[in-house]
């Protein structure tokens, strides 16, 4: 068995809204190994995004523990979390979250800037990842000049540029049409086959079936957790 | 490395909003420009005061009729200075003082077909060394000519020019008309420059007696008496001596109010320069207010900018930017805005000072220290007013920022 990359123990997230407390995640125990491709599913409001944000170190749990690559991160300070996000995690968002005024190349370089990588190496590495997602000829374009699919591929390149241990994607195809969604999923699948650990959140069954394992959430708890049987067929 | 990148990002943000950046920094530009011109004016005024005191004589006391009051009205006809006062000062100060009376008024001058209007100064020959008036041609008039009420004149540097441009040398021995009275030109002075309201280069000097009885129609009253000591250190002593002699002449008891006043050059200049100082004060307050308003403007725009770019901040944080890097990014932005404003302001201040010199004829000096201080100050404003917005940006929670619409 490969190394454990994610381990959560009774992970909880509560939001206090006035007198009311929303228990978005109510105690999730989950272990994910290196090299896995996991799809998190569940109805709207079941806590998928909340869980992903904690896994991605964007948010801190109200209670419970979270180890990333053997390190207990649920107690880290804000700056340490920023470092973990920079070094160990690549995050792909539903809404791309690219800087609209910067070129694709600069967008992909951003994580390397915060990692303190020098200009020349930075450009080389960003270019390589853009080539990997098939956008070598769009490097100097800005996001508004690109299609949704292209933007999401820039976002994938950006998420990969720091060679993260973990690639997270929260509904990466949520804003894309079915053909473009499929392109992205092929991409992710190829990455996983090359050894990249990936966790994605999705609503769509056929997207989830591209992954090897599905984790279903309901009301902030794991409802089902199983391996895809159809996983060997290519999409 | 990272620092350089962040600075590039900050400058990029300024460039992306050129118009807004310009408008934002306007307050700083005006403030710094005002600071530069205030300091330039101040330095200039200081230098010119020193220069003027130099020209008015550092060792000369001026005695005038009237009470010891500032810019007030003297008691007019009741108090008078006469030539006998001047003689008393000269004769009884035991060599401490060299003395020259002055009676003066503007008069019409004519030479051949040229006319001019000049200040006629009736005085003693002692006047010339007192004010370092050197000759370029001819000679001064002498005591004998004063005694004899002779019609001889020594011309200031500019007078030959006004009288048809005849050369100084050629004018010696010529006759000019002063209020219709013929005078023989015996000397022409070298250039002196002006000091406060005094323009010696435009003046014509004649014996005091001639002025009183042949030109001004028997006017006994002097405008002032000048008394000079050998060195500025003797001025205090001279003050006492003059007071004592004058009181005796005017029969005023010690302690009683005098009907004359004694001033040194810097006293005289102080009143003259009061308007300059008022103006400088006005500019200084403009400078202060616009720097403050400019700073608040910067803060305001930076706050708007932080709100506008909440998502960008979220993205940067999600990708690994720490609080410190975000704080630094926004601080550099406001710092750069203000410093750019400061640089433009220095240029504008330079221009304003130049205009003041050229059109208002105020002396200005741009001191490098002032430029440096102004720039440092605008950078300080940028830092001070940039802190709050930058902190707000740095404190943003990445999740909240990413969700921001
Ligand atoms: N910042 C917040 N403040 C208060 N409540 C929140 C906040 N974020 C999420 N919630 C609540 O937590 C619950 C889980 O939200 P979450 O976004 O994780 O759901 P989700 O499974 O991702 O849903 P979707 O499929 O619609 O994206 C929801 O009931 C939501 O209203
Ligand atoms: Mg969601």
């Amino acid at each position: 068995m490969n190394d454990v990359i994610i381990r959560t123990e009774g992970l909880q997230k509560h939001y206090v809204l006035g007198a009311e407390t929303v228990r978005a995640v109510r105690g999730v125990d989950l272990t994910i190994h290196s090299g896995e491709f996991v799809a998190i599913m569940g109805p709207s409001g079941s806590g998928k995004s909340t869980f992903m944000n904690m896994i991605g170190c964007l948010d801190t749990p109200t209670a419970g523990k979270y180890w990333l690559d053997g390190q207990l991160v649920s107690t880290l300070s804000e700056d340490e979390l920023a470092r973990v996000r920079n070094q160990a995690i690549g995050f792909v968002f539903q809404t791309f979250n690219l800087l609209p005024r910067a070129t694709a190349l600069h967008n992909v370089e951003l994580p390397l800037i915060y990692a303190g990588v020098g200009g020349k190496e930075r450009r080389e590495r960003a270019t390589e990842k853009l080539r990997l997602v098939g956008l070598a000829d769009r490097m100097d374009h800005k996001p508004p000049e690109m299609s949704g699919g292209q933007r999401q591929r820039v976002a994938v390149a950006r998420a990969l540029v720091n060679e993260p241990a973990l690639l997270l994607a929260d509904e990466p195809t949520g804003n894309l049409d079915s053909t473009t969604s499929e392109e992205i999923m092929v991409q992710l699948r190829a990455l996983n086959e090359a050894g990249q650990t990936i966790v994605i959140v999705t609503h769509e069954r056929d997207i989830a079936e591209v992954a090897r394992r599905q984790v279903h959430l309901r009301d902030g708890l794991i409802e089902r957790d199983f391996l895809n049987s159809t996983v060997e067929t290519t999409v | 490395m990272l620092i350089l990148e962040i600075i590039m990002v900050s400058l990029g943000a300024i460039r992306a909003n050129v118009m807004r950046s310009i408008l934002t920094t306007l307050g700083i530009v005006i403030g710094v420009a005002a600071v530069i011109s205030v300091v330039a004016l101040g330095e200039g005024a200081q230098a010119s005061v020193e220069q003027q005191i130099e020209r008015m004589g550092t060792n000369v006391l001026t005695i005038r009729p009237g009470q010891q009051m500032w810019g007030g009205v003297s008691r007019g006809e009741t108090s008078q200075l006469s030539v006998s006062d001047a003689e008393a000062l000269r004769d009884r100060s035991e060599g401490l003082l060299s003395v020259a009376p002055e009676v003066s008024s503007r008069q019409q001058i004519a030479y051949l077909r040229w006319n001019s209007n000049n200040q006629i100064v009736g005085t003693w020959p002692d006047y010339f060394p007192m004010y370092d008036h050197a000759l370029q041609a001819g000679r001064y008039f002498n005591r004998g000519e004063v005694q004899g009420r002779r019609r001889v004149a020594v011309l200031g540097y500019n007078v030959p020019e006004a009288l048809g441009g005849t050369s100084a040398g050629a004018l010696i021995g010529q006759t000019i008309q002063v209020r219709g009275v013929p005078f023989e030109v015996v000397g022409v002075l070298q250039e002196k420059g002006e000091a406060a309201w005094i323009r010696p280069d435009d003046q014509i000097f004649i014996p005091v007696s001639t002025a009183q009885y042949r030109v001004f129609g028997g006017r006994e009253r002097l405008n002032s008496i000048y008394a000079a000591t050998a060195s500025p250190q003797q001025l205090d002593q001279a003050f006492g001596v003059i007071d004592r002699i004058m009181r005796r002449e005017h029969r005023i008891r010690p302690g009683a109010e005098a009907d004359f006043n004694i001033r040194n050059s810097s006293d005289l200049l102080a009143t003259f320069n009061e308007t300059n100082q008022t103006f400088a004060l006005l500019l200084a307050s403009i400078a202060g207010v616009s720097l403050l308003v400019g700073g608040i403007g910067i803060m305001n725009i930076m706050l708007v900018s932080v709100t506008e770019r909440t998502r960008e901040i979220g993205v940067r944080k999600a990708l690994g930017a720490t609080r410190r890097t975000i704080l630094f990014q926004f601080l550099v932005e406001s710092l750069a805005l203000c410093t750019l404003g400061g640089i433009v302001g220095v240029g504008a201040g330079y221009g304003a000072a130049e205009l003041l010199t050229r059109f208002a004829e105020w002396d200005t000096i741009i001191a490098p220290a002032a430029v440096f201080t102004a720039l440092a100050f605008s950078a300080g404003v940028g830092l001070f007013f940039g802190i709050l917005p930058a902190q707000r940006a740095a404190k943003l929670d990445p999740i909240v920022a990413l969700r921001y619409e």
Side-chain angles (χ1 to χ4, degrees), chain A residues 15 17 22 24 42-51 170-171 203, chain B residues 403:
Chain A
Y15 296 105
L17 294 171
V22 181
S44 185
S46 58
K48 305 183 296 292
S49 294
T50 307
F51 180 68
D170 190 350
E171 304 198 38
H203 274 296
Chain B
R403 270 210 208 104

Side-chain angles (χ1 to χ4, degrees), chain A residues 53 58-59 78-79 82 85-86 93 95 97 99 101 110-111 113-114 118-119 122 158, chain B residues 1-2 5 16 311-312 315-323 325 329 398-399 402-403:
Chain A
N53 290 339
L58 286 167
D59 212 348
E78 212 190 292
D79 279 359
R85 285 197 295 271
N86 183 247
F93 303 89
T95 52
N97 279 330
L99 300 187
R101 275 201 257 267
L110 269 181
I113 289 177
Y114 292 118
R122 208 165 63 215
R158 183 179 67 184
Chain B
M1 195 71 209
L2 178 57
E5 290 299 332
R311 245 189 125 88
E312 175 196 324
V315 170
R316 291 183 183 280
K317 286 201 139 184
L319 298 178
T322 57
R323 264 183 192 221
T325 41
Q329 176 187 335
I399 283 293
L402 280 173
R403 270 210 208 104

Side-chain angles (χ1 to χ4, degrees), chain B residues 168-233:
Chain B
L171 268 177
I172 306 298
Q174 298 294 306
T175 302
I176 61 167
Q177 314 282 327
V178 176
R179 206 187 184 186
V181 180
F183 273 79
E184 184 195 344
V185 177
V186 294
V188 178
L189 299 176
Q190 284 180 11
E191 187 168 14
K192 190 69 181 156
E194 59 196 54
W197 61 92
I198 303 165
R199 299 180 195 290
D201 292 339
D202 292 331
Q203 290 175 330
I204 294 172
F205 302 90
I206 60 177
V208 64
S209 49
T210 321
Q212 283 177 313
Y213 301 108
R214 295 191 178 224
V215 183
F216 301 154
R219 192 172 112 192
E220 303 264 340
R221 219 153 57 79
L222 297 178
N223 294 64
S224 28
I225 298 171
Y226 302 106
T229 56
S231 77
Q233 286 74 33

Side-chain angles (χ1 to χ4, degrees), chain B residues 20 58 62 72 75 134 149 167 193 220 243-244 269 279 289 299 303 317 325 353 373-374 376 386 401:
Chain B
R20 184 162 90 182
T58 48
T62 304
R75 288 213 188 130
R149 298 182 188 176
S167 79
E220 303 264 340
D243 191 62
R244 185 168 47 76
L269 267 177
F279 187 78
V289 169
M299 179 157 71
L303 284 172
K317 286 201 139 184
T325 41
T373 313

